[in-house]
Amino acid sequence: MIYLDNNATTAVAPEILDTMLPFLRGEYYNPSSMYDAAKPAKQAVDLARQTLASHLGAAQASEVLFTSCATESINAAFFGAVRANPNRRHIITTAVEHPAVLEVCKELSRTGYDVSFLGVDRQGNLNLGEFVRALRSDTLLVAVMHANNETGVVFPIERLSRVVKETDPRILFLCDATQSMTKLPIRMDANFRNVDMLAFSGHKFHAPKGVGSLFLRRGTPCRTFLIGGHQEFGRRGGTENVAFIVGMARAVELAAVTHDDDLKRVLRLRDKLETGILARIPFVEINGSGAERMPNTLNVAVHYIEGEGILFQLSEAGICASSGSACTSGSLEPSHTLTAMGVPFTAMHGSVRFSLSRYTTEAEIDFIADELPKIVDRLRRLSPYWDYGAQRPR
Ligand code: PLP
């Protein structure tokens, strides 16, 4: 089986699992318990927090909060900020955010908040002028993702967050770094110094599913979202998921050690696949290719066929990838990201995302570059749409 769906989730690295296992076996104690046996669990959580804080360049370890996933971190940031700042009722985000942000924004707009959803151009880039013009005196929060999960397009967070703070330092900046964490440089004391809140989850970088984090800069007005015990400095109640927290910190450490080599190799393989596809398949384009992109993501728009058909046949060939469209209540909805980018109708349903990881091999990439043209050719021969469309200039 060839796994090229690493933007959905990643394999747990064996080294990371080894680091976690002691906390699922012998050291299962509650870190809040007073007796000596529980001390290793408490120390492990403290150390994991320090590890993350130091990798992120946080001023204090207490700025790093552990959650269950990026979705929780994002919800905590939004609803915590909303409750702490009742007088500001305008929010800015982009039309291409993950549903974890978009659906929260839609919910807030249903309850009286005014939300500006900024569009993107054909390459997936934001318009800086439009961004600046959207800022208002009642803007509470700006939420912009670092890298897009579908196309890999990277937004200029350093620039956007600086503009926000120069306009009004009281506007909060939330960055969803779920796809970029460990893949792109993120330093809360340097390029992300104007970002107040940063959300991500461990399963995108070889830690298990079920653990995430919210960086919450000291002094940021944000109320407790998950009300309960005193854990996470009273900001997020609930007994800590010790093993998974330890695993996520180990994953950040591992990525830092192997980062440059892994990413160079991944980028070379991604580009090899991209070149191979463009050379061998007519009427394809790469979504977001004109923008800065994450090194591991390749979103291919195949004109005149359905992405679901491609995925099905890729799966038959033992290849896991994903499509740009989601199956919603029985109807095939085109992806909101590709819709916002203005991807032509003929390719909207035929987009396939390949996302690589440090475990992707050259032989796998070669295999896909051989298989995909055959699959596309087979599907197009069955498609009346292809006979019609390919004869005409687009
Ligand atoms: N944000 C982005 C950009 C994502 O890609 C994802 C998951 O794919 C999420 C948020 C939500 O992450 P989780 O499912 O870990 O909550």
Side-chain angles (χ1 to χ4, degrees), residues 305-325 332 349-354 371-372 374-376 378-379 382:
I305 43 175
E306 294 282 344
E308 273 65 27
I310 305 174
L311 289 187
F312 182 72
Q313 299 220 2
L314 281 171
S315 172
E316 298 265 285
I319 301 162
C320 305
S322 77
S323 119
S325 61
L332 286 173
H349 290 277
S351 292
V352 178
R353 179 188 71 186
F354 298 102
E371 283 303 305
L372 190 63
K374 292 187 239 165
I375 291 172
V376 169
R378 264 201 307 273
L379 289 171
L382 294 171

Side-chain angles (χ1 to χ4, degrees), residues 39 60 108 112 139 142 160 193 207 212 236 255 266 284 295 331 353 390:
K39 281 194 178 139
Q60 296 180 354
L108 286 170
T139 304
V142 175
L160 299 176
R193 76 175 70 81
R236 194 260 186 194
V266 161
V284 287
S331 68
R353 179 188 71 186

Side-chain angles (χ1 to χ4, degrees), residues 12 107 155 165 193-194 235 251 253 294 320 325 335 388:
V12 175
E107 173 62 17
F155 284 147
K165 292 297 174 181
R193 76 175 70 81
N194 290 310
R235 293 195 165 275
E253 275 180 337
M294 285 223 295
C320 305
S325 61
S335 131
Y388 175 81

Side-chain angles (χ1 to χ4, degrees), residues 7-8 69-71 74 98 100 145 147 149 176 178-179 201 203-204:
N7 285 9
C69 59
T71 303
I74 291 164
H98 186 273
M145 69 199 326
N149 44 304
D176 173 5
T178 307
Q179 290 296 341
S201 53
H203 71 104
K204 307 290 185 184

Side-chain angles (χ1 to χ4, degrees), residues 95-361:
V96 298
E97 299 294 309
H98 186 273
V101 169
L102 280 183
E103 293 303 320
V104 170
C105 287
K106 287 182 197 162
E107 173 62 17
L108 286 170
S109 72
R110 282 190 285 270
T111 57
Y113 280 81
D114 189 9
V115 184
S116 304
F117 295 93
L118 301 179
V120 293
D121 65 15
R122 184 70 184 80
Q123 296 307 327
N125 288 315
L126 284 172
N127 179 313
L128 190 62
E130 202 183 311
F131 180 83
V132 173
R133 283 192 296 280
L135 295 166
R136 300 193 329 211
S137 58
D138 64 336
T139 304
L140 159 67
L141 176 68
V142 175
V144 180
M145 69 199 326
H146 194 192
N148 187 273
N149 44 304
E150 289 184 47
T151 58
V153 170
V154 177
F155 284 147
I157 296 301
E158 181 170 11
R159 204 156 154 214
L160 299 176
S161 57
R162 192 180 59 238
V163 167
V164 167
K165 292 297 174 181
E166 281 169 3
T167 306
D168 179 352
R170 285 173 305 169
I171 300 176
L172 302 179
F173 197 103
L174 164 66
C175 179
D176 173 5
T178 307
Q179 290 296 341
S180 58
M181 183 65 189
T182 75
K183 298 190 191 82
L184 301 176
I186 298 177
R187 290 287 303 185
M188 307 315 297
D189 56 352
N191 59 339
F192 275 47
R193 76 175 70 81
N194 290 310
V195 172
D196 302 293
M197 299 182 279
L198 182 89
F200 58 90
S201 53
H203 71 104
K204 307 290 185 184
F205 50 93
H206 304 291
K209 287 163 270 299
V211 63
S213 179
L214 174 67
F215 167 89
L216 182 62
R217 197 177 288 284
R218 186 181 35 161
T220 303
C222 183
R223 295 270 294 273
T224 301
F225 177 60
L226 200 54
I227 298 169
H230 55 85
Q231 293 90 350
E232 302 302 302
F233 315 100
R235 293 195 165 275
R236 194 260 186 194
T239 304
E240 299 88 340
N241 187 350
V242 181
F244 286 45
I245 287 170
V246 167
M248 183 165 69
R250 182 81 187 109
V252 167
E253 275 180 337
L254 260 186
V257 172
T258 59
H259 182 268
D260 288 351
D261 290 347
D262 279 349
L263 290 184
K264 266 189 221 141
R265 210 180 58 82
V266 161
L267 177 64
R268 190 178 63 74
L269 293 180
R270 194 275 307 267
D271 287 350
K272 185 175 188 196
L273 182 58
E274 179 171 324
T275 313
I277 288 173
L278 287 172
R280 289 189 224 178
I281 309 179
F283 297 104
V284 287
E285 53 194 289
I286 307 302
N287 290 319
S289 62
E292 185 189 342
R293 264 183 308 158
M294 285 223 295
N296 78 320
T297 308
L298 178 61
N299 191 305
V300 187
V302 186
H303 288 259
Y304 308 117
I305 43 175
E306 294 282 344
E308 273 65 27
I310 305 174
L311 289 187
F312 182 72
Q313 299 220 2
L314 281 171
S315 172
E316 298 265 285
I319 301 162
C320 305
S322 77
S323 119
S325 61
C327 206
T328 320
S329 47
S331 68
L332 286 173
E333 296 257 321
S335 131
H336 69 281
T337 299
L338 301 184
T339 305
M341 288 168 70
V343 170
F345 174 77
T346 49
M348 183 74 84
H349 290 277
S351 292
V352 178
R353 179 188 71 186
F354 298 102
S355 45
L356 289 67
S357 82
R358 70 160 86 124
Y359 298 123
T360 306
T361 66

